[in-house]
Amino acid sequence: SQAAAAETITLSNIRNPQISGSTGNYQIKTQNSADATIDQDLAVAADTITAGALSATNVQPTSLVAGAAGNATVSFTTANPIPADGKILVTFGSGFAFNSGAATAASSATMNGTFAVGIAGQTVTLTRSGGAQQNAGEAETIILTNIKNPVISGSTGTYTIKTTTS
C-alpha cells in the first residue's frame, strides 16, 4: 500500500465484553516481516459498551389485595452473565413495605448460592455469594418474602430490574 493511504481492515467473529463500560484504548501497529514497527498509534479512542436488555421481566406479588403481605416473584431473562458475586436490584413502586412480619429474604431455584438482601428506599438489592456465574440467556426466578402491598388499591407503579457487577 502507498504511504499516507487510508486503509480499512474488517475483523470478524469479535465478541464484545459482557460487562458494560469502557473498552479502554485500542492499539494499532504495522510491522515488517522482522517484527520491526513501521507505524503505530497506541491510544486509539476507546468505545463504551452498553448494558444488555433484560427480557421477559416481571415482578408479581402473590396477592394483589391492598395491604396484603407475602411473597413477590421476580423473573427475567438475562442478556449477559450475572457474576457469582453480582447484584440484582429490584425497585418497587411507592407504597410497598419491606420486612413486613419478618426480614425480607430471597431465594431462587434457578440460581445457585445465596443472596444478601439490602433495602434502600423502594429498592431491594440482592448480592450473590457462594454460587457460580449465571450464563447469558438464562431465565431466572427469585422469590422475595415479607413484602407488604400498598394499603390503597390501584396501580403498583413501574417496577425496575437491573443486574450489576459487585
Side-chain angles (χ1 to χ4, degrees):
S1 187
Q2 299 176 25
E7 299 294 336
T8 299
I9 299 171
T10 301
L11 303 174
S12 60
N13 300 314
I14 305 296
R15 182 177 178 204
N16 285 345
Q18 294 179 314
I19 297 174
S20 57
S22 175
T23 60
N25 287 341
Y26 300 97
Q27 296 182 359
I28 300 172
K29 290 183 182 181
T30 59
Q31 297 177 323
N32 66 17
S33 62
D35 293 333
T37 299
I38 300 168
D39 293 308
Q40 68 181 9
D41 185 345
L42 302 180
V44 177
D47 290 308
T48 299
I49 302 298
T50 58
L54 296 174
S55 60
T57 56
N58 191 39
V59 177
Q60 184 66 53
T62 300
S63 171
L64 295 177
V65 174
N71 296 343
T73 301
V74 178
S75 55
F76 55 91
T77 299
T78 59
N80 290 303
I82 303 173
D85 62 350
K87 296 180 181 183
I88 298 122
L89 288 78
V90 182
T91 303
F92 288 76
S94 64
F96 281 94
F98 309 101
N99 301 321
S100 184
T104 294
S107 62
S108 177
T110 60
M111 284 189 201
N112 55 18
T114 60
F115 299 99
V117 177
I119 299 169
Q122 294 304 112
T123 301
V124 177
T125 300
L126 308 172
T127 304
R128 299 186 66 218
S129 66
Q133 173 177 287
Q134 294 299 116
N135 294 325
E138 289 187 354
E140 305 295 354
T141 301
I142 301 167
I143 306 294
L144 300 175
T145 63
N146 303 309
I147 297 175
K148 184 177 179 181
N149 292 343
V151 295
I152 298 172
S153 61
S155 174
T156 61
T158 301
Y159 301 97
T160 62
I161 305 169
K162 176 170 72 170
T163 61
T164 69
T165 61
S166 61

